[in-house]
Amino acid sequence: MMKSIKLNNGVEMPLLGYGVFQVKPNEAERCVLDAIKTGYRLIDTAQAYFNEEGVGEAIAKCGVDRSELFITTKVWVSNSGEKKAYDSILESLRKLKTDYIDLLLIHQPFGDYYGTYRAMEQALKEGRVRAIGVSNFRPDRWIDLVKHVDVKPSVIQLQTNVFSQQQEMRKLIEDTDTKLMAWAPMAEGQNNFFVHPLMTAIGKKYGKSAAQVGLRFLTQQDIIAIPKSTHVERMQQNLESMDFNLSSVDIDEIKKLNQTDGGNINFTDPQFVNYILTAFG
Ligand SMILES: NC(=O)c1ccc[n+]([C@@H]2O[C@H](COP(=O)([O-])OP(=O)(O)OC[C@H]3O[C@@H](n4cnc5c(N)ncnc54)[C@H](OP(=O)(O)O)[C@@H]3O)[C@@H](O)[C@H]2O)c1
């Protein structure tokens, strides 16, 4: 049984899941079927990944009851605004071949995201969505958003891994009992993540890999993690990060690896904002 965490609206969410960013549309069905067969129940996709249809095919074919799955998707910037966002939620539901989305996030803090949030609150009321939240909000926009919305976000998804531990945001989200969900939980392999000397050494004590240590470092602190791999043996390895516990001494050692607390993207860089506004349609 996958360990789960209770969100601020009472919904239970698996602590470890499977992410499909950069999984090609024609590979998504196979990958998600493999992931579900391996034991994953939480699947993280997004409108901007262009693979919701493949995920939907897998949901339809996997043979696991829909109530046991936990599907996350995200509204892209080009669908921001109340009406557009609402229509895009219906479109995501069609593509995902499901009556409801377990967790719906605003993907990026740009465009009319207040309108998007109202559409998400509406979808929540209608039972089309079970929980709502945001992604990539930095402290300034987070504080402003939380002050101006009725339903407090259940989840915030941020770049979070041993090198970017989000200590500042973790304090800020305590007020609303919002849970942190880690994207790039393995730092996308950067900084020698998979062969990192400290995590490799710690892993040896438990018979675990650096990847498993880095993932358990997150989930053991109640941070939801969604590692991505197209390879079944890696899916399995990443899932098996859940079957051991790091000592508090080891956790404290890994905490020292924090370098770029809030992640390595500068969300106020005009070039980055322009990129987000034009990329992915
Ligand atoms: N909200 C956002 O803006 C945002 C941004 C980025 C990502 N995300 C979400 O977060 C998920 C995870 O993040 P991510 O995909 O960027 O990065 P990640 O999970 O940290 O790393 C994925 C990379 O690690 C490799 N890998 C996976 N397991 C491995 C293992 N055990 N040993 C060695 N290599 C391994 C994968 O290669 P192979 O596939 O070739 O195995 C892939 O290149 C995404 O899929 C997506 O759902 C969200």
Side-chain angles (χ1 to χ4, degrees), residues 18-23 44-45 49 74 76 105 107-108 135-136 157-158 161 182-189 194 209 211-212 215 226-231 233-235 237-238:
Y18 177 70
V20 295
F21 178 45
Q22 289 170 331
V23 173
D44 181 84
T45 182
Y49 300 169
K74 316 183 192 80
W76 187 244
L105 305 174
H107 203 148
Q108 297 283 351
S135 183
N136 297 315
Q157 187 178 116
L158 299 171
N161 51 59
W183 69 253
M186 303 178 295
E188 293 167 349
F194 294 110
S209 66
Q212 290 170 322
L215 289 172
I226 41 169
K228 171 261 178 187
S229 176
T230 55
H231 300 91
E233 59 288 356
R234 289 176 175 175
M235 293 178 192
Q237 182 192 140
N238 298 340

mmCIF file of all heavy atoms in Angstrom, residues 18-23 44-45 49 74 76 105 107-108 135-136 157-158 161 182-189 194 209 211-212 215 226-231 233-235 237-238, ligand 1:
data_model
loop_
_atom_site.group_PDB
_atom_site.id
_atom_site.type_symbol
_atom_site.label_atom_id
_atom_site.label_comp_id
_atom_site.label_asym_id
_atom_site.label_seq_id
_atom_site.Cartn_x
_atom_site.Cartn_y
_atom_site.Cartn_z
ATOM 1 N N TYR A 18 4.240 9.353 -10.251
ATOM 2 C CA TYR A 18 4.982 9.224 -11.500
ATOM 3 C C TYR A 18 4.693 10.444 -12.373
ATOM 4 O O TYR A 18 3.531 10.742 -12.659
ATOM 5 C CB TYR A 18 4.532 7.927 -12.199
ATOM 6 C CG TYR A 18 5.162 7.711 -13.538
ATOM 7 C CD1 TYR A 18 6.520 7.409 -13.636
ATOM 8 C CD2 TYR A 18 4.422 7.824 -14.711
ATOM 9 C CE1 TYR A 18 7.115 7.222 -14.872
ATOM 10 C CE2 TYR A 18 5.012 7.626 -15.954
ATOM 11 C CZ TYR A 18 6.358 7.327 -16.027
ATOM 12 O OH TYR A 18 6.959 7.155 -17.235
ATOM 13 N N GLY A 19 5.757 11.146 -12.796
ATOM 14 C CA GLY A 19 5.587 12.349 -13.621
ATOM 15 C C GLY A 19 5.865 12.065 -15.084
ATOM 16 O O GLY A 19 6.730 11.245 -15.404
ATOM 17 N N VAL A 20 5.151 12.762 -15.969
ATOM 18 C CA VAL A 20 5.304 12.475 -17.405
ATOM 19 C C VAL A 20 5.745 13.682 -18.241
ATOM 20 O O VAL A 20 5.515 13.729 -19.442
ATOM 21 C CB VAL A 20 4.031 11.837 -18.015
ATOM 22 C CG1 VAL A 20 3.758 10.477 -17.417
ATOM 23 C CG2 VAL A 20 2.818 12.746 -17.873
ATOM 24 N N PHE A 21 6.420 14.653 -17.620
ATOM 25 C CA PHE A 21 6.995 15.746 -18.399
ATOM 26 C C PHE A 21 8.053 15.163 -19.340
ATOM 27 O O PHE A 21 8.856 14.330 -18.931
ATOM 28 C CB PHE A 21 7.635 16.772 -17.446
ATOM 29 C CG PHE A 21 8.303 17.936 -18.122
ATOM 30 C CD1 PHE A 21 7.691 18.602 -19.176
ATOM 31 C CD2 PHE A 21 9.547 18.386 -17.694
ATOM 32 C CE1 PHE A 21 8.311 19.696 -19.787
ATOM 33 C CE2 PHE A 21 10.168 19.481 -18.293
ATOM 34 C CZ PHE A 21 9.561 20.128 -19.345
ATOM 35 N N GLN A 22 8.006 15.586 -20.608
ATOM 36 C CA GLN A 22 8.963 15.129 -21.630
ATOM 37 C C GLN A 22 8.798 13.659 -22.001
ATOM 38 O O GLN A 22 9.667 13.098 -22.667
ATOM 39 C CB GLN A 22 10.415 15.416 -21.193
ATOM 40 C CG GLN A 22 10.693 16.918 -21.247
ATOM 41 C CD GLN A 22 12.007 17.321 -20.617
ATOM 42 O OE1 GLN A 22 12.509 16.682 -19.712
ATOM 43 N NE2 GLN A 22 12.564 18.423 -21.078
ATOM 44 N N VAL A 23 7.695 13.046 -21.579
ATOM 45 C CA VAL A 23 7.366 11.720 -22.114
ATOM 46 C C VAL A 23 6.586 11.987 -23.412
ATOM 47 O O VAL A 23 5.578 12.694 -23.408
ATOM 48 C CB VAL A 23 6.504 10.907 -21.125
ATOM 49 C CG1 VAL A 23 6.029 9.608 -21.775
ATOM 50 C CG2 VAL A 23 7.299 10.617 -19.851
ATOM 51 N N ASP A 44 1.252 12.422 -12.657
ATOM 52 C CA ASP A 44 1.305 13.876 -12.812
ATOM 53 C C ASP A 44 1.533 14.243 -14.278
ATOM 54 O O ASP A 44 2.583 13.961 -14.838
ATOM 55 C CB ASP A 44 2.456 14.448 -11.972
ATOM 56 C CG ASP A 44 2.542 15.955 -12.093
ATOM 57 O OD1 ASP A 44 1.805 16.652 -11.365
ATOM 58 O OD2 ASP A 44 3.344 16.462 -12.914
ATOM 59 N N THR A 45 0.508 14.886 -14.893
ATOM 60 C CA THR A 45 0.659 15.349 -16.263
ATOM 61 C C THR A 45 0.307 16.833 -16.299
ATOM 62 O O THR A 45 0.197 17.490 -15.259
ATOM 63 C CB THR A 45 -0.194 14.503 -17.242
ATOM 64 O OG1 THR A 45 0.026 14.976 -18.586
ATOM 65 C CG2 THR A 45 -1.676 14.546 -16.934
ATOM 66 N N TYR A 49 2.131 19.318 -21.543
ATOM 67 C CA TYR A 49 2.984 18.165 -21.857
ATOM 68 C C TYR A 49 2.501 17.454 -23.134
ATOM 69 O O TYR A 49 3.166 16.569 -23.644
ATOM 70 C CB TYR A 49 3.024 17.139 -20.709
ATOM 71 C CG TYR A 49 3.561 17.650 -19.384
ATOM 72 C CD1 TYR A 49 3.438 16.890 -18.234
ATOM 73 C CD2 TYR A 49 4.188 18.890 -19.282
ATOM 74 C CE1 TYR A 49 3.925 17.343 -17.014
ATOM 75 C CE2 TYR A 49 4.662 19.352 -18.060
ATOM 76 C CZ TYR A 49 4.528 18.587 -16.932
ATOM 77 O OH TYR A 49 4.999 19.033 -15.720
ATOM 78 N N LYS A 74 -2.464 20.168 -15.066
ATOM 79 C CA LYS A 74 -2.213 21.597 -14.800
ATOM 80 C C LYS A 74 -2.723 22.443 -15.956
ATOM 81 O O LYS A 74 -2.576 22.052 -17.124
ATOM 82 C CB LYS A 74 -0.705 21.842 -14.630
ATOM 83 C CG LYS A 74 0.001 20.805 -13.769
ATOM 84 C CD LYS A 74 1.467 21.106 -13.565
ATOM 85 C CE LYS A 74 2.193 19.916 -12.950
ATOM 86 N NZ LYS A 74 2.555 18.850 -13.906
ATOM 87 N N TRP A 76 -2.454 25.396 -18.460
ATOM 88 C CA TRP A 76 -1.348 26.157 -19.021
ATOM 89 C C TRP A 76 -1.713 27.647 -19.166
ATOM 90 O O TRP A 76 -2.885 28.012 -19.171
ATOM 91 C CB TRP A 76 -0.902 25.562 -20.367
ATOM 92 C CG TRP A 76 0.336 26.239 -20.864
ATOM 93 C CD1 TRP A 76 0.483 26.990 -21.994
ATOM 94 C CD2 TRP A 76 1.613 26.266 -20.203
ATOM 95 N NE1 TRP A 76 1.758 27.482 -22.076
ATOM 96 C CE2 TRP A 76 2.474 27.054 -20.981
ATOM 97 C CE3 TRP A 76 2.104 25.707 -19.016
ATOM 98 C CZ2 TRP A 76 3.803 27.302 -20.610
ATOM 99 C CZ3 TRP A 76 3.424 25.961 -18.650
ATOM 100 C CH2 TRP A 76 4.257 26.743 -19.455
ATOM 101 N N LEU A 105 -3.802 21.968 -10.931
ATOM 102 C CA LEU A 105 -2.888 23.050 -10.547
ATOM 103 C C LEU A 105 -2.824 24.127 -11.615
ATOM 104 O O LEU A 105 -2.981 23.835 -12.816
ATOM 105 C CB LEU A 105 -1.471 22.483 -10.346
ATOM 106 C CG LEU A 105 -1.292 21.321 -9.371
ATOM 107 C CD1 LEU A 105 0.158 20.810 -9.419
ATOM 108 C CD2 LEU A 105 -1.652 21.740 -7.951
ATOM 109 N N HIS A 107 -0.336 25.997 -13.687
ATOM 110 C CA HIS A 107 1.025 25.558 -14.003
ATOM 111 C C HIS A 107 2.067 26.647 -13.745
ATOM 112 O O HIS A 107 3.136 26.373 -13.214
ATOM 113 C CB HIS A 107 1.083 25.115 -15.471
ATOM 114 C CG HIS A 107 2.185 24.166 -15.784
ATOM 115 N ND1 HIS A 107 2.083 23.191 -16.742
ATOM 116 C CD2 HIS A 107 3.431 24.029 -15.258
ATOM 117 C CE1 HIS A 107 3.215 22.501 -16.788
ATOM 118 N NE2 HIS A 107 4.047 23.004 -15.904
ATOM 119 N N GLN A 108 1.726 27.893 -14.142
ATOM 120 C CA GLN A 108 2.695 28.988 -14.012
ATOM 121 C C GLN A 108 1.971 30.243 -13.534
ATOM 122 O O GLN A 108 0.829 30.485 -13.933
ATOM 123 C CB GLN A 108 3.340 29.293 -15.379
ATOM 124 C CG GLN A 108 4.162 28.147 -15.972
ATOM 125 C CD GLN A 108 5.522 27.989 -15.323
ATOM 126 O OE1 GLN A 108 5.954 28.824 -14.531
ATOM 127 N NE2 GLN A 108 6.206 26.900 -15.645
ATOM 128 N N SER A 135 1.413 25.896 -9.068
ATOM 129 C CA SER A 135 2.785 25.458 -9.289
ATOM 130 C C SER A 135 3.635 26.671 -9.647
ATOM 131 O O SER A 135 3.146 27.602 -10.304
ATOM 132 C CB SER A 135 2.818 24.432 -10.426
ATOM 133 O OG SER A 135 4.128 23.948 -10.608
ATOM 134 N N ASN A 136 4.871 26.629 -9.213
ATOM 135 C CA ASN A 136 5.862 27.649 -9.578
ATOM 136 C C ASN A 136 5.551 29.046 -9.063
ATOM 137 O O ASN A 136 6.051 30.025 -9.617
ATOM 138 C CB ASN A 136 6.069 27.667 -11.099
ATOM 139 C CG ASN A 136 6.632 26.353 -11.598
ATOM 140 O OD1 ASN A 136 7.556 25.816 -11.008
ATOM 141 N ND2 ASN A 136 6.056 25.811 -12.655
ATOM 142 N N GLN A 157 3.209 22.922 -6.187
ATOM 143 C CA GLN A 157 4.242 22.088 -6.813
ATOM 144 C C GLN A 157 5.412 22.987 -7.213
ATOM 145 O O GLN A 157 5.240 23.941 -7.964
ATOM 146 C CB GLN A 157 3.677 21.365 -8.046
ATOM 147 C CG GLN A 157 4.666 20.364 -8.616
ATOM 148 C CD GLN A 157 4.149 19.584 -9.815
ATOM 149 O OE1 GLN A 157 4.670 19.700 -10.924
ATOM 150 N NE2 GLN A 157 3.116 18.770 -9.606
ATOM 151 N N LEU A 158 6.580 22.674 -6.678
ATOM 152 C CA LEU A 158 7.779 23.493 -6.897
ATOM 153 C C LEU A 158 8.972 22.611 -7.193
ATOM 154 O O LEU A 158 9.016 21.446 -6.772
ATOM 155 C CB LEU A 158 8.095 24.300 -5.626
ATOM 156 C CG LEU A 158 7.041 25.293 -5.139
ATOM 157 C CD1 LEU A 158 7.431 25.817 -3.750
ATOM 158 C CD2 LEU A 158 6.876 26.447 -6.121
ATOM 159 N N ASN A 161 14.348 19.454 -4.491
ATOM 160 C CA ASN A 161 15.239 18.291 -4.403
ATOM 161 C C ASN A 161 16.336 18.622 -3.394
ATOM 162 O O ASN A 161 16.295 19.693 -2.788
ATOM 163 C CB ASN A 161 15.797 17.941 -5.801
ATOM 164 C CG ASN A 161 16.388 19.150 -6.492
ATOM 165 O OD1 ASN A 161 17.311 19.761 -5.967
ATOM 166 N ND2 ASN A 161 15.858 19.517 -7.654
ATOM 167 N N ALA A 182 7.024 17.950 -5.054
ATOM 168 C CA ALA A 182 8.332 18.233 -5.647
ATOM 169 C C ALA A 182 8.376 17.879 -7.122
ATOM 170 O O ALA A 182 8.193 16.719 -7.484
ATOM 171 C CB ALA A 182 9.402 17.431 -4.906
ATOM 172 N N TRP A 183 8.635 18.877 -7.977
ATOM 173 C CA TRP A 183 9.013 18.523 -9.355
ATOM 174 C C TRP A 183 10.539 18.503 -9.446
ATOM 175 O O TRP A 183 11.211 19.101 -8.609
ATOM 176 C CB TRP A 183 8.335 19.383 -10.389
ATOM 177 C CG TRP A 183 8.633 20.853 -10.591
ATOM 178 C CD1 TRP A 183 7.821 21.898 -10.240
ATOM 179 C CD2 TRP A 183 9.749 21.450 -11.296
ATOM 180 N NE1 TRP A 183 8.383 23.095 -10.646
ATOM 181 C CE2 TRP A 183 9.557 22.853 -11.304
ATOM 182 C CE3 TRP A 183 10.888 20.933 -11.924
ATOM 183 C CZ2 TRP A 183 10.465 23.743 -11.901
ATOM 184 C CZ3 TRP A 183 11.801 21.818 -12.524
ATOM 185 C CH2 TRP A 183 11.571 23.205 -12.503
ATOM 186 N N ALA A 184 11.054 17.756 -10.447
ATOM 187 C CA ALA A 184 12.500 17.480 -10.515
ATOM 188 C C ALA A 184 13.011 16.972 -9.171
ATOM 189 O O ALA A 184 14.004 17.469 -8.636
ATOM 190 C CB ALA A 184 13.290 18.695 -10.971
ATOM 191 N N PRO A 185 12.345 15.971 -8.581
ATOM 192 C CA PRO A 185 12.757 15.478 -7.260
ATOM 193 C C PRO A 185 14.153 14.848 -7.280
ATOM 194 O O PRO A 185 14.774 14.695 -6.234
ATOM 195 C CB PRO A 185 11.689 14.424 -6.934
ATOM 196 C CG PRO A 185 11.193 13.958 -8.267
ATOM 197 C CD PRO A 185 11.230 15.187 -9.145
ATOM 198 N N MET A 186 14.636 14.514 -8.497
ATOM 199 C CA MET A 186 15.997 13.977 -8.631
ATOM 200 C C MET A 186 16.880 14.986 -9.371
ATOM 201 O O MET A 186 17.880 14.612 -10.002
ATOM 202 C CB MET A 186 15.947 12.625 -9.359
ATOM 203 C CG MET A 186 15.047 11.617 -8.628
ATOM 204 S SD MET A 186 14.893 10.030 -9.443
ATOM 205 C CE MET A 186 14.049 10.538 -10.938
ATOM 206 N N ALA A 187 16.467 16.251 -9.307
ATOM 207 C CA ALA A 187 17.244 17.355 -9.908
ATOM 208 C C ALA A 187 17.507 17.133 -11.397
ATOM 209 O O ALA A 187 18.471 17.676 -11.948
ATOM 210 C CB ALA A 187 18.550 17.575 -9.149
ATOM 211 N N GLU A 188 16.659 16.331 -12.029
ATOM 212 C CA GLU A 188 16.841 15.978 -13.444
ATOM 213 C C GLU A 188 18.271 15.511 -13.718
ATOM 214 O O GLU A 188 18.817 15.720 -14.796
ATOM 215 C CB GLU A 188 16.447 17.176 -14.338
ATOM 216 C CG GLU A 188 14.940 17.445 -14.248
ATOM 217 C CD GLU A 188 14.483 18.779 -14.830
ATOM 218 O OE1 GLU A 188 15.355 19.619 -15.130
ATOM 219 O OE2 GLU A 188 13.266 18.964 -14.967
ATOM 220 N N GLY A 189 18.876 14.912 -12.700
ATOM 221 C CA GLY A 189 20.235 14.365 -12.859
ATOM 222 C C GLY A 189 21.346 15.400 -12.709
ATOM 223 O O GLY A 189 22.532 15.043 -12.767
ATOM 224 N N PHE A 194 22.728 11.370 -9.476
ATOM 225 C CA PHE A 194 22.612 9.904 -9.402
ATOM 226 C C PHE A 194 23.879 9.213 -8.888
ATOM 227 O O PHE A 194 23.838 8.028 -8.558
ATOM 228 C CB PHE A 194 22.204 9.325 -10.766
ATOM 229 C CG PHE A 194 20.814 9.752 -11.165
ATOM 230 C CD1 PHE A 194 20.610 10.654 -12.204
ATOM 231 C CD2 PHE A 194 19.711 9.271 -10.481
ATOM 232 C CE1 PHE A 194 19.326 11.056 -12.550
ATOM 233 C CE2 PHE A 194 18.425 9.668 -10.817
ATOM 234 C CZ PHE A 194 18.230 10.569 -11.855
ATOM 235 N N SER A 209 20.198 3.128 -3.599
ATOM 236 C CA SER A 209 20.943 3.980 -4.524
ATOM 237 C C SER A 209 20.830 5.446 -4.098
ATOM 238 O O SER A 209 19.976 5.809 -3.277
ATOM 239 C CB SER A 209 20.379 3.824 -5.940
ATOM 240 O OG SER A 209 19.056 4.337 -5.969
ATOM 241 N N ALA A 211 19.650 7.759 -5.882
ATOM 242 C CA ALA A 211 18.305 8.211 -6.297
ATOM 243 C C ALA A 211 17.281 7.906 -5.207
ATOM 244 O O ALA A 211 16.451 8.750 -4.851
ATOM 245 C CB ALA A 211 17.893 7.518 -7.606
ATOM 246 N N GLN A 212 17.372 6.708 -4.659
ATOM 247 C CA GLN A 212 16.401 6.311 -3.624
ATOM 248 C C GLN A 212 16.577 7.148 -2.358
ATOM 249 O O GLN A 212 15.599 7.522 -1.714
ATOM 250 C CB GLN A 212 16.554 4.812 -3.320
ATOM 251 C CG GLN A 212 16.080 3.945 -4.490
ATOM 252 C CD GLN A 212 16.436 2.483 -4.328
ATOM 253 O OE1 GLN A 212 17.512 2.140 -3.841
ATOM 254 N NE2 GLN A 212 15.541 1.605 -4.752
ATOM 255 N N LEU A 215 15.106 10.659 -3.040
ATOM 256 C CA LEU A 215 13.630 10.653 -3.048
ATOM 257 C C LEU A 215 13.082 10.482 -1.636
ATOM 258 O O LEU A 215 12.136 11.159 -1.228
ATOM 259 C CB LEU A 215 13.110 9.526 -3.958
ATOM 260 C CG LEU A 215 13.321 9.736 -5.456
ATOM 261 C CD1 LEU A 215 12.953 8.463 -6.233
ATOM 262 C CD2 LEU A 215 12.509 10.923 -5.975
ATOM 263 N N ILE A 226 7.380 13.149 -7.507
ATOM 264 C CA ILE A 226 6.867 12.531 -8.740
ATOM 265 C C ILE A 226 8.002 12.275 -9.734
ATOM 266 O O ILE A 226 8.064 12.879 -10.806
ATOM 267 C CB ILE A 226 5.783 13.431 -9.385
ATOM 268 C CG1 ILE A 226 6.191 14.917 -9.316
ATOM 269 C CG2 ILE A 226 4.435 13.219 -8.694
ATOM 270 C CD1 ILE A 226 5.314 15.838 -10.151
ATOM 271 N N PRO A 227 8.932 11.353 -9.379
ATOM 272 C CA PRO A 227 10.041 11.058 -10.287
ATOM 273 C C PRO A 227 9.553 10.562 -11.645
ATOM 274 O O PRO A 227 8.564 9.836 -11.718
ATOM 275 C CB PRO A 227 10.801 9.949 -9.549
ATOM 276 C CG PRO A 227 9.796 9.326 -8.632
ATOM 277 C CD PRO A 227 8.906 10.456 -8.218
ATOM 278 N N LYS A 228 10.280 10.957 -12.678
ATOM 279 C CA LYS A 228 9.943 10.534 -14.041
ATOM 280 C C LYS A 228 10.998 9.577 -14.568
ATOM 281 O O LYS A 228 12.207 9.802 -14.389
ATOM 282 C CB LYS A 228 9.869 11.772 -14.951
ATOM 283 C CG LYS A 228 9.732 11.472 -16.431
ATOM 284 C CD LYS A 228 11.055 11.562 -17.181
ATOM 285 C CE LYS A 228 10.907 11.216 -18.642
ATOM 286 N NZ LYS A 228 12.225 11.144 -19.333
ATOM 287 N N SER A 229 10.573 8.507 -15.197
ATOM 288 C CA SER A 229 11.488 7.670 -15.978
ATOM 289 C C SER A 229 10.681 6.931 -17.025
ATOM 290 O O SER A 229 9.551 6.527 -16.779
ATOM 291 C CB SER A 229 12.222 6.652 -15.098
ATOM 292 O OG SER A 229 13.022 5.828 -15.937
ATOM 293 N N THR A 230 11.288 6.754 -18.189
ATOM 294 C CA THR A 230 10.613 5.954 -19.217
ATOM 295 C C THR A 230 11.028 4.480 -19.094
ATOM 296 O O THR A 230 10.507 3.641 -19.813
ATOM 297 C CB THR A 230 10.987 6.462 -20.625
ATOM 298 O OG1 THR A 230 12.415 6.462 -20.729
ATOM 299 C CG2 THR A 230 10.458 7.873 -20.863
ATOM 300 N N HIS A 231 11.972 4.197 -18.183
ATOM 301 C CA HIS A 231 12.490 2.828 -18.038
ATOM 302 C C HIS A 231 11.858 2.107 -16.852
ATOM 303 O O HIS A 231 11.925 2.600 -15.723
ATOM 304 C CB HIS A 231 14.009 2.862 -17.857
ATOM 305 C CG HIS A 231 14.733 3.489 -19.007
ATOM 306 N ND1 HIS A 231 15.040 4.831 -19.069
ATOM 307 C CD2 HIS A 231 15.176 2.944 -20.151
ATOM 308 C CE1 HIS A 231 15.654 5.089 -20.200
ATOM 309 N NE2 HIS A 231 15.752 3.963 -20.884
ATOM 310 N N GLU A 233 12.775 -0.468 -15.090
ATOM 311 C CA GLU A 233 13.612 -0.819 -13.933
ATOM 312 C C GLU A 233 13.882 0.412 -13.059
ATOM 313 O O GLU A 233 13.995 0.310 -11.840
ATOM 314 C CB GLU A 233 14.890 -1.560 -14.341
ATOM 315 C CG GLU A 233 15.844 -0.865 -15.276
ATOM 316 C CD GLU A 233 15.361 -0.745 -16.740
ATOM 317 O OE1 GLU A 233 14.293 -1.269 -17.108
ATOM 318 O OE2 GLU A 233 16.074 -0.078 -17.523
ATOM 319 N N ARG A 234 13.944 1.593 -13.685
ATOM 320 C CA ARG A 234 14.116 2.820 -12.892
ATOM 321 C C ARG A 234 12.805 3.187 -12.172
ATOM 322 O O ARG A 234 12.837 3.660 -11.037
ATOM 323 C CB ARG A 234 14.570 3.970 -13.779
ATOM 324 C CG ARG A 234 15.995 3.816 -14.247
ATOM 325 C CD ARG A 234 16.354 4.943 -15.191
ATOM 326 N NE ARG A 234 17.752 4.901 -15.588
ATOM 327 C CZ ARG A 234 18.288 5.723 -16.495
ATOM 328 N NH1 ARG A 234 17.530 6.649 -17.062
ATOM 329 N NH2 ARG A 234 19.557 5.630 -16.813
ATOM 330 N N MET A 235 11.673 2.975 -12.854
ATOM 331 C CA MET A 235 10.372 3.215 -12.186
ATOM 332 C C MET A 235 10.325 2.409 -10.891
ATOM 333 O O MET A 235 9.929 2.884 -9.840
ATOM 334 C CB MET A 235 9.203 2.768 -13.074
ATOM 335 C CG MET A 235 8.987 3.560 -14.335
ATOM 336 S SD MET A 235 7.598 2.821 -15.261
ATOM 337 C CE MET A 235 7.774 3.667 -16.827
ATOM 338 N N GLN A 237 12.893 1.071 -9.208
ATOM 339 C CA GLN A 237 13.895 1.537 -8.241
ATOM 340 C C GLN A 237 13.372 2.780 -7.506
ATOM 341 O O GLN A 237 13.484 2.884 -6.278
ATOM 342 C CB GLN A 237 15.196 1.886 -8.992
ATOM 343 C CG GLN A 237 16.312 2.323 -8.081
ATOM 344 C CD GLN A 237 17.493 2.938 -8.837
ATOM 345 O OE1 GLN A 237 18.068 3.914 -8.380
ATOM 346 N NE2 GLN A 237 17.868 2.361 -9.985
ATOM 347 N N ASN A 238 12.778 3.696 -8.249
ATOM 348 C CA ASN A 238 12.309 4.938 -7.627
ATOM 349 C C ASN A 238 11.156 4.646 -6.656
ATOM 350 O O ASN A 238 11.075 5.230 -5.578
ATOM 351 C CB ASN A 238 11.894 5.941 -8.703
ATOM 352 C CG ASN A 238 13.067 6.335 -9.598
ATOM 353 O OD1 ASN A 238 14.227 6.161 -9.224
ATOM 354 N ND2 ASN A 238 12.767 6.837 -10.787
HETATM 355 N N1 LIG B 1 5.278 22.087 -12.497
HETATM 356 C C1 LIG B 1 6.296 22.197 -13.283
HETATM 357 O O1 LIG B 1 6.594 23.286 -13.826
HETATM 358 C C2 LIG B 1 7.134 21.007 -13.575
HETATM 359 C C3 LIG B 1 8.403 21.146 -14.187
HETATM 360 C C4 LIG B 1 9.163 19.989 -14.414
HETATM 361 C C5 LIG B 1 8.680 18.745 -14.043
HETATM 362 N N2 LIG B 1 7.424 18.630 -13.474
HETATM 363 C C6 LIG B 1 6.877 17.315 -13.074
HETATM 364 O O2 LIG B 1 7.824 16.635 -12.234
HETATM 365 C C7 LIG B 1 8.148 15.368 -12.814
HETATM 366 C C8 LIG B 1 9.563 14.968 -12.469
HETATM 367 O O3 LIG B 1 10.488 15.979 -12.836
HETATM 368 P P1 LIG B 1 11.496 15.821 -14.055
HETATM 369 O O4 LIG B 1 10.967 14.812 -15.002
HETATM 370 O O5 LIG B 1 11.742 17.169 -14.628
HETATM 371 O O6 LIG B 1 12.861 15.363 -13.377
HETATM 372 P P2 LIG B 1 13.353 14.149 -12.444
HETATM 373 O O7 LIG B 1 12.214 13.247 -12.136
HETATM 374 O O8 LIG B 1 14.102 14.776 -11.327
HETATM 375 O O9 LIG B 1 14.429 13.419 -13.363
HETATM 376 C C9 LIG B 1 14.074 12.722 -14.508
HETATM 377 C C10 LIG B 1 15.375 12.258 -15.216
HETATM 378 O O10 LIG B 1 16.061 11.286 -14.426
HETATM 379 C C11 LIG B 1 16.238 10.061 -15.159
HETATM 380 N N3 LIG B 1 16.043 8.972 -14.173
HETATM 381 C C12 LIG B 1 14.877 8.657 -13.547
HETATM 382 N N4 LIG B 1 15.064 7.700 -12.608
HETATM 383 C C13 LIG B 1 16.386 7.387 -12.643
HETATM 384 C C14 LIG B 1 17.174 6.481 -11.900
HETATM 385 N N5 LIG B 1 16.654 5.727 -10.925
HETATM 386 N N6 LIG B 1 18.511 6.409 -12.205
HETATM 387 C C15 LIG B 1 19.056 7.187 -13.172
HETATM 388 N N7 LIG B 1 18.328 8.072 -13.905
HETATM 389 C C16 LIG B 1 17.010 8.174 -13.637
HETATM 390 C C17 LIG B 1 15.199 10.102 -16.238
HETATM 391 O O11 LIG B 1 15.649 9.424 -17.396
HETATM 392 P P3 LIG B 1 14.782 8.268 -18.149
HETATM 393 O O12 LIG B 1 13.378 8.780 -18.355
HETATM 394 O O13 LIG B 1 15.536 8.101 -19.443
HETATM 395 O O14 LIG B 1 14.846 7.065 -17.257
HETATM 396 C C18 LIG B 1 15.094 11.609 -16.540
HETATM 397 O O15 LIG B 1 16.129 12.014 -17.418
HETATM 398 C C19 LIG B 1 7.896 15.602 -14.304
HETATM 399 O O16 LIG B 1 7.801 14.422 -15.045
HETATM 400 C C20 LIG B 1 6.613 16.399 -14.254
HETATM 401 O O17 LIG B 1 5.495 15.556 -14.009
HETATM 402 C C21 LIG B 1 6.662 19.742 -13.231
#
